[in-house]
Coordinates of all heavy atoms in Angstrom, one line a residue:
V1 N 110.0 109.9 124.9 CA 110.7 109.2 125.9 C 111.2 110.3 127.0 O 111.9 111.2 126.6 CB 111.9 108.5 125.4 CG1 112.7 107.8 126.5 CG2 111.5 107.4 124.4
D2 N 110.7 110.1 128.2 CA 111.1 111.1 129.2 C 112.4 110.7 129.8 O 112.5 110.0 130.9 CB 110.0 111.1 130.3 CG 110.1 112.4 131.1 OD1 111.2 113.0 131.2 OD2 109.1 112.9 131.6
Y3 N 113.5 111.1 129.2 CA 114.8 110.7 129.6 C 115.2 111.1 131.0 O 115.8 110.4 131.7 CB 115.9 111.2 128.6 CG 115.9 110.5 127.2 CD1 115.2 111.1 126.1 CD2 116.6 109.3 127.0 CE1 115.2 110.5 124.9 CE2 116.6 108.7 125.8 CZ 115.9 109.3 124.7 OH 115.9 108.7 123.5
E4 N 114.8 112.4 131.3 CA 115.1 112.9 132.6 C 114.5 112.1 133.7 O 115.1 111.8 134.8 CB 114.7 114.4 132.7 CG 115.5 115.3 131.9 CD 115.2 116.7 132.2 OE1 114.6 117.0 133.2 OE2 115.7 117.6 131.4
V5 N 113.2 111.6 133.6 CA 112.6 110.8 134.6 C 113.3 109.5 134.7 O 113.5 109.0 135.8 CB 111.1 110.5 134.2 CG1 110.5 109.5 135.1 CG2 110.3 111.8 134.2
R6 N 113.8 108.9 133.6 CA 114.5 107.6 133.7 C 115.9 107.8 134.3 O 116.3 106.9 135.1 CB 114.6 107.0 132.3 CG 113.2 106.7 131.7 CD 113.2 105.8 130.4 NE 111.9 105.5 130.0 CZ 111.1 104.6 130.5 NH1 111.6 103.8 131.5 NH2 109.9 104.4 130.1
S7 N 116.6 108.9 134.0 CA 117.9 109.1 134.6 C 117.7 109.3 136.1 O 118.5 108.8 136.9 CB 118.6 110.2 134.0 OG 118.0 111.5 134.2
D8 N 116.6 110.0 136.5 CA 116.4 110.2 138.0 C 116.0 108.9 138.6 O 116.5 108.7 139.8 CB 115.2 111.2 138.1 CG 115.6 112.7 137.8 OD1 116.8 113.0 137.7 OD2 114.6 113.5 137.6
Y9 N 115.3 108.1 138.0 CA 114.9 106.8 138.5 C 116.1 105.9 138.8 O 116.3 105.4 139.9 CB 113.9 106.1 137.5 CG 113.5 104.7 137.9 CD1 112.6 104.5 139.0 CD2 114.0 103.6 137.2 CE1 112.2 103.2 139.3 CE2 113.5 102.3 137.5 CZ 112.7 102.1 138.6 OH 112.2 100.8 138.9
I10 N 117.0 105.9 137.8 CA 118.2 105.1 137.9 C 119.1 105.7 139.0 O 119.7 104.9 139.8 CB 118.9 105.0 136.6 CG1 118.1 104.1 135.6 CG2 120.3 104.3 136.8 CD1 118.6 104.2 134.2
S11 N 119.3 107.0 139.0 CA 120.1 107.6 140.0 C 119.6 107.4 141.4 O 120.4 107.3 142.4 CB 120.1 109.1 139.8 OG 120.8 109.4 138.6
G12 N 118.3 107.2 141.6 CA 117.7 106.9 142.9 C 118.2 105.6 143.4 O 118.6 105.5 144.6
F13 N 118.4 104.6 142.6 CA 119.0 103.3 143.0 C 120.5 103.5 143.3 O 120.9 103.0 144.3 CB 118.8 102.3 141.9 CG 117.5 101.7 141.7 CD1 116.7 102.0 140.5 CD2 116.9 101.0 142.7 CE1 115.5 101.5 140.4 CE2 115.6 100.5 142.5 CZ 114.9 100.8 141.4
F14 N 121.2 104.3 142.5 CA 122.6 104.6 142.8 C 122.7 105.2 144.2 O 123.6 104.8 145.0 CB 123.2 105.5 141.8 CG 123.4 104.8 140.4 CD1 123.5 105.6 139.3 CD2 123.6 103.4 140.3 CE1 123.7 105.0 138.0 CE2 123.8 102.8 139.1 CZ 123.9 103.6 138.0
N15 N 121.9 106.1 144.5 CA 122.0 106.8 145.8 C 121.8 105.8 147.0 O 122.5 105.9 148.0 CB 120.9 107.9 145.9 CG 121.2 109.1 145.0 OD1 122.3 109.3 144.5 ND2 120.2 109.8 144.6
K16 N 120.8 104.9 146.8 CA 120.5 103.9 147.8 C 121.6 102.9 148.0 O 121.9 102.4 149.1 CB 119.2 103.2 147.5 CG 118.0 104.1 147.6 CD 116.7 103.3 147.2 CE 115.5 104.2 147.2 NZ 114.3 103.5 146.7
L17 N 122.4 102.7 146.9 CA 123.4 101.6 146.9 C 124.8 102.2 147.0 O 125.8 101.4 146.8 CB 123.3 100.8 145.6 CG 121.9 100.1 145.4 CD1 121.8 99.5 144.0 CD2 121.8 99.0 146.5
G18 N 124.9 103.4 147.4 CA 126.2 104.0 147.7 C 127.1 104.4 146.5 O 128.3 104.6 146.6
I19 N 126.4 104.6 145.3 CA 127.1 105.1 144.2 C 127.0 106.6 144.1 O 125.9 107.1 143.9 CB 126.6 104.5 142.9 CG1 126.7 102.9 142.9 CG2 127.3 105.0 141.7 CD1 128.1 102.4 143.0
S20 N 128.0 107.4 144.4 CA 127.9 108.8 144.5 C 127.8 109.5 143.1 O 128.0 108.8 142.1 CB 129.1 109.4 145.2 OG 130.3 109.3 144.4
H21 N 127.4 110.7 143.2 CA 127.3 111.5 141.9 C 128.6 111.8 141.2 O 128.6 112.4 140.1 CB 126.5 112.8 142.2 CG 125.0 112.6 142.2 ND1 124.1 113.6 142.3 CD2 124.3 111.4 142.3 CE1 122.9 113.1 142.3 NE2 122.9 111.8 142.4
H22 N 129.7 111.5 141.9 CA 131.0 111.7 141.3 C 131.6 110.3 140.9 O 132.8 110.3 140.5 CB 131.9 112.4 142.3 CG 131.4 113.7 142.7 ND1 131.4 114.8 141.8 CD2 130.9 114.2 143.8 CE1 130.9 115.9 142.4 NE2 130.6 115.5 143.7
A23 N 130.8 109.3 140.9 CA 131.3 108.0 140.5 C 131.5 107.9 139.0 O 131.0 108.6 138.2 CB 130.3 106.9 141.0
S24 N 132.3 106.9 138.6 CA 132.5 106.6 137.2 C 131.4 105.7 136.7 O 131.0 104.8 137.4 CB 133.9 105.9 137.0 OG 134.0 104.8 137.8
L25 N 130.9 106.0 135.5 CA 129.7 105.3 135.0 C 129.9 105.0 133.5 O 130.2 105.9 132.7 CB 128.5 106.3 135.2 CG 127.2 105.8 134.6 CD1 126.6 104.6 135.3 CD2 126.1 106.9 134.7
L26 N 129.6 103.8 133.2 CA 129.6 103.3 131.8 C 128.1 103.3 131.3 O 127.2 102.7 131.9 CB 130.2 101.9 131.7 CG 130.0 101.2 130.3 CD1 130.7 102.0 129.2 CD2 130.5 99.8 130.3
D27 N 127.9 104.0 130.2 CA 126.6 104.0 129.5 C 126.7 103.1 128.3 O 127.2 103.5 127.3 CB 126.2 105.4 129.1 CG 124.7 105.4 128.5 OD1 124.1 104.4 128.5 OD2 124.3 106.5 128.0
L28 N 126.3 101.8 128.5 CA 126.5 100.8 127.5 C 125.3 100.8 126.5 O 124.2 100.9 126.9 CB 126.5 99.4 128.2 CG 126.8 98.2 127.3 CD1 128.1 98.3 126.6 CD2 126.7 96.9 128.1
A29 N 125.7 100.8 125.2 CA 124.7 101.0 124.1 C 124.1 102.4 124.3 O 122.9 102.5 124.3 CB 123.7 99.9 124.1
C30 N 124.9 103.4 124.3 CA 124.5 104.7 124.6 C 123.8 105.4 123.5 O 123.2 106.5 123.8 CB 125.8 105.6 125.0 SG 127.0 105.7 123.6
G31 N 123.7 104.9 122.3 CA 123.0 105.5 121.2 C 123.5 106.9 121.0 O 124.7 107.2 120.8
T32 N 122.6 107.9 120.9 CA 122.9 109.3 120.6 C 123.4 110.1 121.8 O 123.5 111.3 121.8 CB 121.8 110.0 119.9 OG1 120.6 110.0 120.8 CG2 121.4 109.4 118.6
G33 N 123.5 109.4 122.9 CA 124.2 110.0 124.1 C 123.3 110.8 125.0 O 123.8 111.5 125.9
T34 N 122.0 110.8 124.8 CA 121.1 111.6 125.6 C 121.2 111.2 127.1 O 121.3 112.1 128.0 CB 119.6 111.5 125.2 OG1 119.5 111.9 123.8 CG2 118.7 112.4 126.0
M35 N 121.1 109.9 127.4 CA 121.3 109.5 128.8 C 122.7 109.8 129.3 O 122.8 110.2 130.5 CB 120.9 108.0 128.9 CG 119.5 107.7 128.7 SD 118.3 108.3 129.9 CE 118.6 107.1 131.2
S36 N 123.7 109.6 128.5 CA 125.0 109.9 128.9 C 125.2 111.4 129.4 O 125.8 111.6 130.4 CB 126.0 109.7 127.7 OG 125.9 108.4 127.3

């Protein structure tokens, strides 16, 4: 699983929608925390 590609993909939407890189973020069903 290419976690970095998926986190970049999601962050791309955040950037377009005004969610800054310093925003608060909930990782729901975070599992072992790799995406977190």
Side-chain angles (χ1 to χ4, degrees):
V1 177
D2 201 332
Y3 288 99
E4 290 192 12
V5 170
R6 296 191 179 278
S7 65
D8 288 344
Y9 177 72
I10 294 171
S11 293
F13 287 113
F14 287 155
N15 293 338
K16 293 177 183 177
L17 297 170
I19 302 297
S20 75
H21 280 189
H22 299 291
S24 52
L25 174 66
L26 170 62
D27 185 5
L28 184 60
C30 62
T32 59
T34 300
M35 292 293 281
S36 301

